[in-house]
């Protein structure tokens, strides 16, 4: 894993996007890194993966106060953020994890 967790997560999301596009053209995920939390003084990086066709979103958060953990949730674009996040070790996240989430939630 890279020393920069956001770069590592971004690289995995890019690879997952390419894999999804090769097999599921109709999903066409949109990946975005958001600076809003940091800009508001919250020590966290946010990445969203959206499916415009289904209006579903996967929100991924790397929070400075929980190093080594990835917080994530499955919501709709309209809901933006839900009440609770699940957590897993960032070291356990792989490109295949993201591919599986995208396929299962967006398809």
């Amino acid at each position: 894993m890279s020393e920069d967790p956001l770069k590592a997560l971004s690289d995995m999301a890019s690879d997952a996007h390419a894999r999804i596009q090769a097999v599921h053209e109709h999903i066409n995920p949109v990946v975005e890194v958001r600076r809003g939390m940091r800009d508001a003084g919250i020590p966290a990086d946010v990445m969203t993966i959206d499916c415009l066709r289904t209006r579903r979103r996967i929100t991924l958060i790397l929070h400075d106060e929980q190093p080594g953990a990835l917080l994530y949730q499955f919501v709709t674009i309209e809901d933006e953020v839900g009440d609770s996040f699940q957590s897993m070790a960032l070291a356990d996240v792989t490109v295949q994890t993201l591919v599986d989430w995208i396929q299962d939630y967006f398809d």
Side-chain angles (χ1 to χ4, degrees):
M1 183 74 55
S2 165
E3 286 188 32
D4 179 355
L6 182 58
K7 178 170 179 0
L9 186 60
S10 294
D11 289 347
M12 285 189 281
S14 178
D15 290 348
H17 183 274
R19 287 188 194 180
I20 288 293
Q21 286 289 273
V23 181
H24 302 284
E25 285 185 29
H26 65 283
I27 293 178
N28 194 23
V30 177
V31 179
E32 179 181 11
V33 176
R34 298 173 160 213
R35 300 285 309 171
M37 290 181 77
R38 287 220 185 267
D39 292 346
I42 300 167
D45 294 306
V46 179
M47 177 183 292
T48 58
I49 305 172
D50 293 342
C51 179
L52 302 179
R53 183 182 57 82
T54 62
R55 309 292 299 161
R56 292 181 177 178
R57 169 174 288 161
I58 301 170
T59 303
L60 309 171
I61 296 181
L62 298 170
H63 201 292
D64 294 356
E65 293 175 1
Q66 296 184 38
L70 175 69
L71 305 174
Y72 64 97
Q73 69 179 191
F74 302 92
V75 293
T76 66
I77 291 173
E78 287 74 20
D79 291 339
E80 181 92 8
V81 177
D83 292 333
S84 62
F85 282 85
Q86 296 177 304
S87 178
M88 69 184 296
L90 186 57
D92 293 341
V93 178
T94 65
V95 172
Q96 190 60 50
T97 304
L98 298 178
V99 167
D100 291 345
W101 288 352
I102 291 167
Q103 286 180 150
D104 294 346
Y105 191 56
F106 292 168
D107 200 16

